[in-house]
């Protein structure tokens, strides 16, 4: 597992990340245009979510179809964006008129893994065809020296 320490942490993989306790995760509960980049998303963080975008927290944005997610954060000396587009399925994203919802870091990990907390079940995700998965396993076995 990757260890992250504030304020110089970097979000490389949400699946492996451990966030400091001081990090807050804010969802923008209004669908966003995924063409927005650093300035547009930071403006949404400030005016729609109502938070200081330079605070070092994570701001999560999704499109109307909920198949894309962007995470914006300030990293010591500039903006960083983590972007995920699903090949199949959707994220369980709560769209409401309030503009923001604060969630825990573990809930972010669960949301990105496709688990629907309201129903307690995993949502549909893309997976490689069986032949391709077998090739990947064989390739991994050769790299580690096992077969």
């Amino acid at each position: 597992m990757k260890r992250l320490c504030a304020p110089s942490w970097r979000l490389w993989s949400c699946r492996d990340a451990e966030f400091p306790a001081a990090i807050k995760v804010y969802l923008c509960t209004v669908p966003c245009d995924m063409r927005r980049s650093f300035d547009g998303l930071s403006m949404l963080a400030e005016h729609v979510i109502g938070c200081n975008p330079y605070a070092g927290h994570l701001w999560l944005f999704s499109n109307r179809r909920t198949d894309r997610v962007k995470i914006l954060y300030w990293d010591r000396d500039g903006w960083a964006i983590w972007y995920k587009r699903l090949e199949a399925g959707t994220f369980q994203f709560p769209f409401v008129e309030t503009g923001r919802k604060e969630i825990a870091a573990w809930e972010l990990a669960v949301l990105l893994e496709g688990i629907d907390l309201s129903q307690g079940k995993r949502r549909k995700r893309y997976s490689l065809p069986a032949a391709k998965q077998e090739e990947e396993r064989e390739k991994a076995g050769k790299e580690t020296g096992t077969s």
Side-chain angles (χ1 to χ4, degrees):
M1 285 221 157
K2 296 178 184 175
R3 287 275 179 203
L4 306 174
C5 54
S8 63
W9 61 275
R10 286 176 175 73
L11 181 65
W12 296 112
S13 171
C14 283
R15 181 176 295 166
D16 299 332
E18 288 184 19
F19 300 101
I23 295 296
K24 294 181 180 178
V25 181
Y26 294 102
L27 301 179
C28 180
T29 59
V30 178
C32 301
D33 182 353
M34 287 291 108
R35 294 175 292 182
R36 288 182 186 254
S37 192
F38 302 102
D39 296 328
L41 293 176
S42 64
M43 184 271 309
L44 285 175
E46 186 173 2
H47 296 290
V48 175
I49 298 175
C51 295
N52 176 7
Y54 300 98
H57 302 302
L58 303 178
W59 288 274
L60 188 70
F61 304 92
S62 181
N63 63 340
R64 189 171 306 280
R65 292 183 303 188
T66 66
D67 65 340
R68 296 162 195 236
V69 166
K70 282 188 179 181
I71 300 175
L72 174 75
Y73 59 98
W74 179 259
D75 183 31
R76 286 184 309 189
D77 55 0
W79 291 110
I81 291 179
W82 186 87
Y83 187 21
K84 184 168 184 173
R85 181 189 75 190
L86 295 177
E87 295 299 319
T90 59
F91 295 104
Q92 178 63 33
F93 211 84
F95 287 130
V96 292
E97 295 300 319
T98 60
R100 89 175 200 191
K101 179 179 179 182
E102 186 176 343
I103 63 171
W106 70 268
E107 290 176 294
L108 171 62
V110 168
L111 184 138
L112 293 175
E113 282 295 316
I115 298 171
D116 183 353
L117 287 178
S118 65
Q119 298 179 4
K121 68 177 188 177
R122 181 177 278 280
R123 295 175 65 86
K124 179 183 174 185
R125 288 291 182 266
Y126 174 80
S127 62
L128 293 173
K132 187 70 172 174
Q133 287 178 344
E134 188 60 36
E135 287 176 16
E136 293 293 325
R137 282 191 213 112
E138 288 176 11
K139 185 177 180 181
K142 289 179 183 176
E143 291 174 358
T144 60
T146 60
S147 290

